[in-house]
């Protein structure tokens, strides 16, 4: 009976259980911090892609004649597909953008609201890039976070 009582009251190994509980909490928080940093990185890449897309379309504005043959063409007026190809060519590591994530429009108004024609000086170009970030943290249900960025620039020349 005495031997059974000593086995039941034995506290050896309690540190191992406490460490396992604390370590699982610590590593979950660590992975959460890493995932949050990846979310911020992805958000910045989406915003940068939208900004670069509008810059690409804005630079190839009113002075150029003819359509662009490729995303690297100069001296031409780009189509939405050219802008999408350019943005897809930026290649941000770990982010798999698709052409369907990139919307390019040329609103037929100036910044002040006056009417204009596509590619003309003073007109605007608008690029919207969207991406869904998959958040995966241990012990937390998987979540998808939609990210989107819109950039609007005025064609100068």
């Amino acid at each position: 009976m005495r031997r059974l009582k000593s086995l039941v009251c034995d506290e050896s190994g309690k540190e191992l259980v406490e460490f396992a509980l604390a370590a699982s909490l610590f590593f979950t928080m660590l992975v959460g911090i890493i995932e949050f940093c990846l979310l911020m990185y992805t958000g910045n890449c989406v915003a940068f892609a939208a900004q670069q897309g509008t810059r690409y379309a804005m630079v190839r504005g009113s002075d150029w004649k003819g359509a662009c043959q490729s995303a690297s063409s100069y001296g031409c007026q780009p189509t939405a597909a050219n802008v999408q190809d350019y943005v897809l060519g930026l290649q941000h590591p770990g982010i798999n953008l698709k052409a369907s994530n990139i919307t390019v429009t040329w609103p037929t108004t100036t910044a002040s609201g006056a009417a204009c024609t596509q590619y003309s000086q003073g007109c605007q170009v608008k690029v919207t890039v969207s991406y869904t970030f998959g958040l995966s943290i241990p012990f937390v249900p998987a979540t998808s976070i939609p990210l989107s960025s819109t950039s609007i620039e005025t064609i100068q020349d």
Side-chain angles (χ1 to χ4, degrees), residues 1-2 68 70 115 135:
M1 183 71 160
R2 182 190 251 181
C68 296
S70 70
L135 188 66

Side-chain angles (χ1 to χ4, degrees), residues 24-44:
S24 64
L25 181 64
F26 172 75
F27 287 118
T28 299
M29 285 180 24
L30 183 65
V31 169
I33 291 169
I34 291 169
E35 285 287 319
F36 181 73
C37 291
L38 287 172
L39 174 66
M40 297 300 292
Y41 165 76
T42 304
N44 284 333

Side-chain angles (χ1 to χ4, degrees), residues 107-120:
T108 54
T109 57
T110 62
S112 61
C116 65
T117 58
Q118 183 177 348
Y119 300 120
S120 64

Side-chain angles (χ1 to χ4, degrees), residues 70-115:
S70 70
S72 60
S73 298
Y74 291 99
C76 57
Q77 292 178 341
T79 63
N82 294 133
V83 176
Q84 288 173 341
D85 289 344
Y86 177 76
V87 171
L88 292 173
L90 295 175
Q91 297 180 356
H92 297 288
I95 299 175
N96 298 318
L97 284 176
K98 296 177 181 73
S100 61
N101 298 108
I102 304 163
T103 306
V104 184
T105 57
W106 282 267
T108 54
T109 57
T110 62
S112 61

